Amino acid sequence: MYVAVKGGEAAILNSYQLLARQRRGDVSEPELSVPQIRQQLKLAVDRVMTEGSVYDPELAALAIKQAAGDLVEAIFLLRAYRATLPRLGTTCALDTSRMVLDRRISATFKDLPGGQVLGPTYDYTQRLLDFKLLAEGPVAPPAAAPAAVPPGPTPRVVDLLNQEGLIETRPVPPGDPAPTDLTREPLRFPANRATRLQNLARGDEGFLLAMAYSTQRGYSHSHPFVGEVRLGTVAVEVVPEELGFAIEIGDIEITECEMVNQFAGSKSQPPQFTRGYGLAFGHSERKAMAMSLVDRALRADELGEPVESPAQMQEFVLGHSDSLEASGFVQHLKLPHYVDFQSELELVRKMRAAANPATTEQGDAA
């Protein structure tokens, strides 16, 4: 992102003060605290953690407060802080089959082993303003019955389809190389699926949502079904060199989505269902679903499908999905471009003179 700007030092310092005043708002109102943001603006915190590539709710809440609620700016702040952190080690791949579920739904099967678990969701609300929230003083939330979450691991929907061999399998090949780390290495094309998924996880939710929507509008030759959306906590494990086996170092909350798409088959593969995958920190269903739709669209070339739509084009999607780069390139237009504009202004004058010399002569005579 473009951040360098030259100007009068006094004017810049005054701008900082005005920004702090705008962020604080009316001083007669209680100041919004970081713990309040963390607890009560959870969905915003989860988005900032996901696109900022740092799982730390407190730091994400701090970034939101500092950015006065501008989530793209907050993501920038968190990524900038992340760049200062040392790399202590690498965790094992998350085993999401062992997720402790808070929510689990499927649009493909009504009756699932373990059942549908609605959990916290806006899906069934009426989208009417709740004016009770304007009431002064603390308002206790209504008591909710505990969800009937199945104990232990819950079978996946894709496992049910796999019992009949109706969905593609993705076994880990022997000697599978470690994935590229996009936080340390530049994006190169063509990008493999692991690299694409990294990029999509860090990508702007609004951009991915638009790309996902385009695939449903007929621009990707796909007809998706939500195989499963899962929200819950999963263990994070590392393998210390001195031990040689995995140990748990904590739990994180994640949202996982597997999208199921029909596939007509090819010369080497029979007709079957294929998958799109999405995963995000915290409760981020819209992001995970959009990510899984775009992931499936980007697999067109691999599956022998014609690449005709923007959502199927690696360079277009991956090269424009990052909110920091997009925001920076747009906002850099606010910086001084006096010399460039004056040169173009002179060029336009000369072009107009060449196109209509009579008008130019009359203007000079006047």
Side-chain angles (χ1 to χ4, degrees):
M1 188 170 187
Y2 289 86
V3 293
V5 62
K6 295 182 179 180
E9 182 178 358
I12 293 174
L13 294 176
N14 191 48
S15 174
Y16 292 163
Q17 295 175 1
L18 293 172
L19 181 61
R21 184 185 304 173
Q22 174 182 275
R23 177 170 56 237
R24 177 59 181 88
D26 188 348
V27 295
S28 66
E29 297 290 337
E31 183 174 2
L32 189 62
S33 69
V34 170
Q36 285 176 314
I37 296 172
R38 176 178 176 176
Q39 295 296 327
Q40 299 178 45
L41 299 181
K42 181 183 183 304
L43 300 183
V45 168
D46 291 345
R47 177 180 174 181
V48 171
M49 289 195 304
T50 298
E51 297 181 31
S53 302
V54 178
Y55 190 90
D56 191 317
E58 184 177 42
L59 291 181
L62 172 62
I64 291 172
K65 178 175 181 178
Q66 184 175 337
D70 183 339
L71 297 190
V72 173
E73 180 69 17
I75 292 163
F76 186 8
L77 291 170
L78 196 59
R79 282 219 207 153
Y81 175 75
R82 184 191 190 283
T84 69
L85 300 176
R87 177 65 60 87
L88 300 178
T90 303
T91 66
C92 303
L94 296 179
D95 185 358
T96 58
S97 66
R98 293 160 47 199
M99 187 187 303
V100 178
L101 297 173
D102 294 317
R103 173 166 161 78
R104 184 255 194 147
I105 61 168
S106 171
T108 52
F109 292 99
K110 179 180 178 181
D111 298 316
L112 293 169
Q116 308 260 9
V117 181
L118 296 188
T121 177
Y122 286 104
D123 291 350
Y124 309 104
T125 60
Q126 294 180 310
R127 266 64 176 211
L128 299 175
L129 284 175
D130 184 359
F131 290 98
K132 294 192 298 291
L133 298 177
L134 292 173
E136 296 182 359
V139 178
V149 178
T154 304
R156 298 173 180 276
V157 167
V158 293
D159 295 334
L160 302 177
L161 293 172
N162 195 37
Q163 291 175 5
E164 299 183 56
L166 297 177
I167 193 166
E168 63 174 338
T169 57
R170 303 287 296 180
V172 178
D176 185 36
T180 300
D181 185 350
L182 281 182
T183 66
R184 296 189 170 196
E185 300 179 36
L187 177 65
R188 294 186 175 89
F189 297 107
N192 60 26
R193 193 180 182 198
T195 303
R196 298 198 303 262
L197 287 171
Q198 279 188 74
N199 184 287
L200 296 177
R202 289 159 54 90
D204 180 74
E205 181 178 311
F207 179 87
L208 293 186
L209 190 62
M211 289 291 98
Y213 181 45
S214 74
T215 70
Q216 297 177 273
R217 296 276 292 175
Y219 289 92
S220 186
H221 308 289
S222 64
H223 185 71
F225 296 90
V226 174
E228 194 167 9
V229 172
R230 291 180 168 220
L231 166 68
T233 55
V234 65
V236 178
E237 299 178 331
V238 297
V239 180
E241 293 182 5
E242 59 272 22
L243 296 180
F245 56 85
I247 61 171
E248 292 186 10
I249 60 172
D251 298 315
I252 63 173
E253 183 183 46
I254 61 171
T255 301
E256 181 184 43
C257 176
E258 289 198 271
M259 202 68 67
V260 177
N261 287 69
Q262 189 182 67
F263 176 57
S266 63
K267 293 181 179 178
S268 59
Q269 295 177 318
Q272 59 185 334
F273 290 104
T274 55
R275 308 184 197 183
Y277 186 76
L279 187 142
F281 287 150
H283 192 175
S284 306
E285 288 183 33
R286 188 168 52 230
K287 171 64 178 284
M289 290 179 66
M291 178 179 170
S292 63
L293 287 168
V294 177
D295 168 52
R296 174 57 181 83
L298 290 174
R299 297 182 60 205
D301 190 55
E302 162 196 341
L303 295 170
E305 298 172 341
V307 177
E308 301 170 340
S309 306
Q312 298 173 300
M313 301 175 183
Q314 284 193 27
E315 291 84 351
F316 182 83
V317 175
L318 304 184
H320 299 92
S321 62
D322 191 278
S323 65
L324 269 64
E325 293 187 9
S327 176
F329 208 70
V330 170
Q331 293 198 73
H332 100 283
L333 297 174
K334 294 183 291 186
L335 299 179
H337 287 77
Y338 310 135
V339 175
D340 293 341
F341 180 73
Q342 291 300 320
S343 64
E344 292 203 10
L345 182 61
E346 186 62 26
L347 177 60
V348 170
R349 286 171 175 162
K350 290 180 178 179
M351 291 169 62
R352 284 172 61 90
N356 195 347
T359 302
T360 306
E361 292 175 1
Q362 294 175 3
D364 293 340

